Amino acid sequence: MLKYVLDLVDLLDDPDVDGKRVAAHLDSVAGPEGSGAEVTTVTGERGSTDFVLVRVPGRSGRTAGGTARTLGVVGRLGGIGARPEMTGLVSDADGAVAALATAAKLLDMRRRGDVLDGDVIVATHICPDAPTAPHDPVPFMDSPVDIATMNRHEVTGEMEAVLSIDTTKGNRIINHKGLALSPTVKEGWVLKVSEQLGELLAVVTGEPLVTYPVTTQDITPYGNGVHHINSILQPATATAAPVVGLAITSAAAVPGCQTGASHETDIAAAARFAVETAKVYGGGRLDFYDDQEFDALVSRYGSLTHLQTFGREPRES
């Protein structure tokens, strides 16, 4: 997996990189069939970005008319670069690199004949000159487009579960270098950490499972005026599917707009976990949540889908 990561870091650490160049790289990995990568350029008030979406069909997946489940892998970030303010690939790029490395590995596996049971949809975006934003305790990467636009292009109705990968280093909460897993979030509910995903992450990393706390405000939409640890769980505001965040973390607070702060081995571990999750999720051997327990919670306490929205306007004091 490290080879795919290194190739992508080299490709993305370029002021002229765009979605088309990423798609061409994935095509070269996929072989004669091509990657089928879809590139959509979206322009906002602060610039533009290229959304890249790749569908890797499974042997018994929905694309083939089968019943195997579809996993979504979202590389969440503001931008891969903050030019001209910063020169080079920024820490925030880790989510995009991990997602694209996942796509490259799955496409290469398919070319060689190792086809998974279910479909996998990988989505992220490419912006080498994204703006930055003030944030406590360290500056964040911002984006030329808003979170709702990202969700529209990165979270599809075909995804039956979503693994969201994001650099989560700009905080003093997760004091661990490597990877950390979030609880499952579904329709406004913060559910227990999936034991199956936790066990799988420990196997992939060879280290004890590390999780991190998720607050209610972290799973509400950006733009409502409250603090969010970052955008890792924003896909949960745009789907009824269960969402789990895989955070690429550090032991010290690192700004998302910092260059020289990406650790390729951690990115590779994140991509390996995504690939292994795709194998067992599509094969029906792993679940992101307990559906019976979730139904019991909703039946007893009611729906929390209002947390996926902006809710009521605050009352004036």
Side-chain angles (χ1 to χ4, degrees):
M1 183 61 76
L2 187 56
K3 174 184 180 297
Y4 303 102
V5 170
L6 294 175
D7 287 345
L8 282 159
V9 167
D10 183 57
L11 175 68
L12 297 180
D13 194 5
D14 185 330
D16 294 323
V17 71
D18 58 17
K20 291 182 179 179
R21 289 176 61 180
V22 170
H25 173 75
L26 295 175
D27 285 340
S28 69
V29 174
E33 289 188 9
S35 67
E38 303 171 13
V39 179
T40 306
T41 302
V42 178
T43 301
E45 294 181 358
R46 294 165 294 174
S48 67
T49 190
D50 288 348
F51 288 95
V52 179
L53 186 144
V54 183
R55 290 179 176 84
V56 185
R59 180 184 299 105
S60 306
R62 308 297 187 187
T63 301
T67 59
R69 299 177 298 185
T70 300
L71 177 68
V73 178
V74 174
R76 186 42 64 98
L77 69 158
I80 61 171
R83 296 174 181 87
E85 184 176 348
M86 303 294 290
T87 303
L89 197 73
V90 296
S91 171
D92 202 43
D94 292 3
V97 177
L100 293 170
T102 300
K105 176 61 175 177
L106 292 172
L107 290 166
D108 200 13
M109 288 171 59
R110 182 175 174 81
R111 178 183 63 82
R112 299 180 187 201
D114 273 340
V115 182
L116 273 57
D117 292 311
D119 299 347
V120 182
I121 301 174
V122 180
T124 190
H125 72 101
I126 306 299
C127 181
D129 50 9
T132 61
H135 187 269
D136 184 47
V138 292
F140 258 8
M141 283 294 295
D142 207 341
S143 176
V145 298
D146 59 28
I147 289 289
T149 300
M150 288 187 193
N151 284 339
R152 281 197 300 273
H153 290 277
E154 295 177 346
V155 182
T156 76
E158 304 155 86
M159 298 175 177
E160 293 167 81
V162 178
L163 182 66
S164 177
I165 308 174
D166 196 354
T167 316
T168 311
K169 300 176 180 177
N171 63 84
R172 300 190 183 99
I173 305 300
I174 315 171
N175 303 309
H176 162 79
K177 180 184 177 298
L179 303 177
L181 197 69
S182 83
T184 299
V185 178
K186 178 174 166 61
E187 297 179 86
W189 283 90
V190 179
L191 305 172
K192 67 180 182 181
V193 175
S194 166
E195 292 183 13
Q196 293 175 305
L197 283 173
E199 291 170 0
L200 182 59
L201 184 58
V203 168
V204 167
T205 61
E207 298 179 353
L209 170 66
V210 174
T211 63
Y212 67 94
V214 170
T215 69
T216 302
Q217 59 204 64
D218 288 329
I219 66 168
T220 59
Y222 264 29
N224 61 357
V226 303
H227 183 276
H228 299 74
I229 188 169
N230 68 350
S231 66
I232 189 168
L233 289 171
Q234 287 299 293
T237 66
T239 180
V243 177
V244 168
L246 179 65
I248 301 175
T249 62
S250 58
V254 175
C257 57
Q258 180 63 54
T259 59
S262 294
H263 304 277
E264 290 83 357
T265 53
D266 293 340
I267 300 171
R272 281 192 287 112
F273 176 73
V275 169
E276 295 305 311
T277 300
K279 292 177 184 178
V280 289
Y281 180 75
R285 302 186 298 278
L286 176 146
D287 293 307
F288 276 47
Y289 74 109
D290 184 323
D291 57 349
Q292 293 183 349
E293 191 168 74
F294 176 77
D295 290 343
L297 283 168
V298 174
S299 177
R300 183 179 292 268
Y301 297 106
S303 170
L304 295 182
T305 55
H306 58 282
L307 291 173
Q308 297 176 284
T309 74
F310 284 105
R312 296 193 299 268
E313 289 292 329
R315 294 190 296 268
E316 295 185 6
S317 57

